[in-house]
Amino acid sequence: MGAADEQIRVSDRVKRVLDQQRREGESYNDVLERVLDEERNGDFYDGFGRWSDERTDRIRRERRAAKEERKRRMRERAADDG
């Protein structure tokens, strides 16, 4: 990367966010380029919020039931070991 051609002002809040996103050895320019590339290419969170409320509720119920089933099996195993 070459020398900076321009300077830009950012708020304290934006600088804090950039500092949080900054990886070891990265310049602020590197952070901005990486984040902008992610925006252009999409990221993990793209698509979130696209399910209907009904589907979301069903998934939550199924996950809750699966979690309870795992807990039940763990309790049974603990009782078998004791």
Side-chain angles (χ1 to χ4, degrees):
M1 183 184 100
D5 296 341
E6 294 184 40
Q7 293 181 0
I8 60 171
R9 291 188 179 271
V10 296
S11 68
D12 290 338
R13 184 187 71 78
V14 169
K15 185 173 183 302
R16 278 193 305 274
V17 171
L18 288 172
D19 285 336
Q20 292 170 350
Q21 296 290 318
R22 205 167 161 195
R23 296 176 181 162
E24 187 174 337
E26 273 189 329
S27 68
Y28 288 107
N29 191 78
D30 294 337
V31 175
L32 291 169
E33 283 184 353
R34 179 170 46 82
V35 169
L36 291 171
D37 282 345
E38 288 173 359
E39 285 293 315
R40 248 181 266 124
N41 297 328
D43 69 4
F44 176 75
Y45 295 104
D46 283 353
F48 277 79
R50 292 186 181 178
W51 286 351
S52 67
D53 289 343
E54 294 81 20
R55 184 171 185 189
T56 301
D57 290 342
R58 181 178 55 83
I59 297 295
R60 284 187 180 131
R61 283 191 306 273
E62 290 172 358
R63 290 190 69 213
R64 197 174 305 122
K67 182 177 181 180
E68 290 303 317
E69 177 62 17
R70 285 192 304 275
K71 286 181 182 180
R72 184 189 64 74
R73 287 193 315 256
M74 291 302 290
R75 284 192 299 268
E76 284 179 2
R77 287 182 183 160
D80 289 345
D81 290 343

